[in-house]
Amino acid sequence: MDFLVFPDHPAADRLAACLPRTRATRTVPHLSGRPWIVGHWQREELVTARVGPRCAVLLGTTSATPGALARLLRRLRGLDDLAELRQELPGSFFLLAYMGAEVRAQGSLSAVRQLHRTDLAGLTVLGSRPQDLAALARPAAAAGLPGAPRTGTVDEEALATRLLAPGAPLPLTLRTPWHAVHAVPPGHCATHDPAGRYREDRWWHPPEPDLPLPDAAEAVREALSAAVHARTHRATLSADLSGGLDSTSLCFLAARDGTELITTAWEGRDPADDDPLWSAHSAYRLSQVRHEGRHLSLPYTDAPTWYTPPAHTDPAGPLAAVREAARLIHQARLVAKFGSRMHLAGIGGDELFALRPVALNSLARGDLREALRLARRARRLAPWTLPATARTLLGGRCYPRWLAAGADRIAPGARRRPGGTDWEELPAMPPWAHPDAVATVRRLLRAAAAAAPEPFDPLRAQHELAAAAVRAGERVRGVDALTSAHGVAYEAPFLDDAVIEAALAVRLADRVPGGGGKPVLVAAMRGTVPGPVLGRGGRRVHSAELHAGLRRNRRALAALCEDSRLAALGLIRPEALRPVLTSLQPDTGALRPLAPTLAAEFWLRARPGPPAPSTVPAPGARMPAPTGEGG
């Protein structure tokens, strides 16, 4: 699915005329007849309703019907009411609407569905994918409809921020790798008034974290059940069944709807890895409740290893899942042979329901006595020092000051345990980053802090959870670009808006590290998921897969250093990267910064043209292929 959104303005006709048209191109018009939404999508990905001068469109995955959407549309007093009505629409989708010549568009909270924008011919054009806006810039300029200088060319400064591990802080993650192409922030909507003027407004704030565990579990159960149900109308569905609670929950919820379910699990290289045993146990229990389907055990001997250079990547930007990209493509091809056109993954479960120390910091703001009690319990169960506990309870800066301080702490190779007062996980530049790239990222962080960005919520625990969901959404969006090229959409029900909001409503005391696991999700899935899985402890780190992948692909990865595109842009020092790729790394933590670097390198190599900063061209001026060949 891909599309561009144009305002109802005479200049939009000339811009839309710059798009190449194929038999697969679809258009939804404005009330005036001018093009509003132009792109490619499957019939089941579009739900639309018109009531007089009003129109609403859902593009994505939902169980909503045109009739239900029309009933909601009649209730609108204005486009701002969409923020409340959205709660009655399950699934993951873009929501676009107009009332006369006023237009509004928004994506999802997690950024699985994220809007982007650029200015051309004095108008702001929106798109579901940044590369489409970048591609439009060249023919628009040729037609005398230019935008800002270098619009649609590669932004080297943005690429420098993509080297941060585990990822850039939120303000910088919204910067696309294309000049003058910007992401609409999650929780914000894009609006065009009748004169075509553009603005962005924040429509969403996290709910109050005040639901006790029993009520929170019920809310999570209802939201997650609806999220899965929004996807089970397909005749055949595939899903991960890794043995963990997240994927197992999705599989048992999907089985209740009677769809044909194909479950998959990777065999492990490490004999001590018990994931396959738990997966097999869950598959057996699942066979007793689902109507039809099968379980596919995926041998590692038949699949690409981690770090295998992917045959293709996500044109939108560096791929967060670059380590497993080739394996995910292999999996998509396999389930497609069995009829699946959509694959469910448990991404988002950790981000929403894992216990977090930062909850203590937020709890102390309102109930210091309870925070102290829970901190003493946590200290008995984990090796927390007294000073660290005190910092967790009482420390912390406001969000802009935290960003500014981070600029001084991203020294290459810097490593520290996450603190209980951090708004987000503190990143660092890799040891092989060029000093100029480090200086660039520090400058960009300070500039972002100087703009006094607003966090998702004044409570760190709320902001940190919402920001983690955004990063997970970026990962899902990138993987979907890979798998959809093979006819299989990649979906994460945990990242639907309603599930995120249910997780944010859990009271802070129930998010504090205690006995481990995911108590809210366990309570929500009791009676649905087999009891032994609910009581399973922590899972093993798959270091065997990591080392095997590096050994198998050492030569191909080391060859990247010979003509590195990142080095040509002055972002890395290949002489510092090569030893990491060619030598044994007993400490897997040293490999943590590797994935973002490889993702940026592979993305640059997939771009046409030479790597010099002044000559990196925009992508070819064409819309992507029809749905099924793009993200």
Side-chain angles (χ1 to χ4, degrees):
M1 177 180 65
D2 60 82
F3 60 87
L4 298 179
V5 183
F6 298 93
D8 191 2
H9 190 277
D13 289 321
R14 295 181 63 194
L15 278 174
C18 296
L19 297 173
R21 303 295 181 116
T22 70
R23 296 176 62 183
T25 303
R26 301 176 186 268
T27 300
V28 179
H30 281 287
L31 190 63
S32 65
R34 294 190 182 101
W36 176 28
I37 308 170
V38 182
H40 309 90
W41 51 81
Q42 303 281 4
R43 292 185 183 277
E44 63 268 20
E45 291 179 312
L46 175 74
V47 180
T48 184
R50 296 179 186 273
V51 178
R54 303 177 176 188
C55 180
V57 169
L58 307 181
L59 273 164
T61 301
T62 179
S63 56
T65 63
L69 187 58
R71 287 191 293 273
L72 295 178
L73 190 57
R74 291 189 185 96
R75 288 163 47 188
L76 291 183
R77 294 165 298 179
L79 290 180
D80 288 343
D81 289 349
L82 287 172
E84 296 180 6
L85 298 186
R86 170 199 58 87
Q87 298 175 354
E88 302 179 43
L89 300 168
S92 174
F93 46 80
F94 295 95
L95 172 57
L96 304 98
Y98 66 66
M99 297 181 68
E102 187 178 5
V103 184
R104 171 168 165 155
Q106 64 192 54
S108 61
L109 298 178
S110 70
V112 170
R113 314 290 185 187
Q114 186 168 46
L115 286 170
H116 304 81
R117 61 175 172 85
T118 195
D119 294 333
L120 298 169
L123 298 178
T124 299
V125 182
L126 299 168
S128 60
R129 308 192 312 182
Q131 69 267 32
D132 300 339
L133 295 169
L136 178 61
R138 177 172 290 179
L145 305 169
R150 299 187 69 188
T151 296
T153 59
V154 172
D155 184 345
E156 301 84 20
E157 289 191 345
L159 277 181
T161 69
R162 297 299 183 104
L163 300 181
L164 285 165
L170 192 63
L172 298 189
T173 63
L174 299 178
R175 185 166 178 168
T176 78
W178 308 99
H179 276 293
V181 178
H182 310 280
V184 176
H188 289 67
C189 63
T191 304
H192 286 103
D193 69 13
R197 293 185 293 264
Y198 176 83
R199 72 177 190 272
E200 288 176 5
D201 298 307
R202 182 170 180 177
W203 61 266
W204 178 80
H205 293 268
E208 287 296 320
D210 54 9
L211 275 185
L213 183 58
D215 296 334
E218 182 178 356
V220 168
R221 179 168 54 252
E222 291 178 357
L224 191 58
S225 298
V228 173
H229 182 69
R231 293 156 171 90
T232 54
H233 62 277
R234 296 170 179 264
T236 303
L237 194 69
S238 59
D240 291 336
L241 185 58
S242 65
L245 177 58
D246 304 334
S247 65
T248 305
S249 297
L250 299 182
C251 289
F252 276 86
L253 288 172
R256 298 191 310 183
D257 285 348
T259 188
E260 180 181 358
L261 182 63
I262 301 166
T263 55
T264 64
W266 296 99
E267 292 183 3
R269 293 174 182 270
D270 187 348
D273 182 5
D274 60 352
D275 273 0
L277 295 176
W278 285 99
S279 177
H281 170 79
S282 296
Y284 171 73
R285 297 291 297 270
L286 195 62
S287 68
Q288 298 176 319
V289 297
R290 63 181 168 186
H291 296 281
E292 51 185 329
R294 66 179 70 206
H295 179 67
L296 304 177
S297 183
L298 309 180
Y300 64 83
T301 53
D302 297 341
T305 60
W306 284 15
Y307 293 113
T308 296
H312 60 273
T313 186
D314 180 9
L319 186 67
V322 67
R323 289 191 316 184
E324 308 98 299
R327 286 164 64 93
L328 291 166
I329 293 172
H330 170 81
Q331 181 187 49
R333 288 172 173 166
L334 183 62
V335 297
K337 292 180 181 178
F338 287 94
S340 174
R341 295 296 175 264
M342 179 180 288
H343 187 82
L344 305 187
I347 298 175
D350 286 340
E351 288 79 1
L352 298 184
F353 298 110
L355 297 169
R356 285 177 154 76
V358 71
L360 274 175
N361 181 274
S362 296
L363 180 62
R365 299 296 188 269
D367 190 344
L368 181 58
R369 179 175 296 180
E370 177 69 0
L372 285 169
R373 185 184 70 81
L374 293 172
R376 284 195 294 267
R377 185 186 69 177
R379 285 194 68 206
R380 289 196 298 268
L381 298 170
W384 287 17
T385 65
L386 187 59
T389 304
R391 285 194 301 270
T392 295
L393 286 170
L394 305 174
R397 303 175 172 93
C398 68
Y399 188 56
R401 289 182 60 195
W402 177 84
L403 279 174
D408 300 321
R409 293 185 287 172
I410 61 166
R415 296 176 61 197
R416 63 185 284 270
R417 292 186 177 183
T421 61
D422 286 334
W423 289 87
E424 302 167 36
E425 190 168 358
L426 190 69
M429 290 291 274
W432 48 84
H434 194 282
D436 290 345
V438 176
T440 294
V441 173
R442 284 177 171 157
R443 173 172 54 80
L444 293 176
L445 267 175
R446 292 188 180 107
E454 187 181 55
F456 280 118
D457 192 270
L459 288 176
R460 289 167 178 77
Q462 298 293 80
H463 173 88
E464 193 262 355
L465 190 151
V470 170
R471 290 195 177 83
E474 180 184 4
R475 180 182 180 87
V476 171
R477 195 171 67 242
V479 175
D480 180 65
L482 301 180
T483 63
S484 289
H486 300 278
V488 181
Y490 193 83
E491 298 263 341
F494 278 105
L495 295 177
D496 283 9
D497 287 4
V499 184
I500 293 173
E501 291 191 316
L504 284 163
V506 177
R507 67 178 180 179
L508 297 171
D510 291 320
R511 303 189 207 171
V512 175
K518 301 170 182 175
V520 176
L521 187 58
V522 167
M525 291 294 101
R526 188 165 286 117
T528 300
V529 172
V533 178
L534 296 177
R536 185 187 178 188
R539 298 171 61 190
R540 296 181 60 85
V541 177
H542 295 164
S543 57
E545 300 292 343
L546 188 150
H547 288 301
L550 284 177
R551 286 195 303 269
R552 176 72 61 86
N553 299 291
R554 181 178 297 150
R555 181 174 300 177
L557 296 177
L560 299 176
C561 297
E562 303 303 323
D563 61 342
S564 168
R565 305 298 197 269
L566 290 171
L569 294 176
L571 297 178
I572 69 167
R573 297 176 297 118
E575 68 276 9
L577 174 59
R578 187 179 292 107
V580 178
L581 297 172
T582 57
S583 62
L584 180 64
Q585 299 290 334
D587 179 11
T588 57
L591 299 171
R592 193 184 195 196
L594 186 57
T597 298
L598 292 177
E601 181 69 35
F602 285 132
W603 183 80
L604 278 175
R605 287 173 178 268
R607 311 269 55 78
S614 61
T615 56
V616 177
R622 62 182 181 88
M623 286 290 286
T627 303
E629 299 181 20

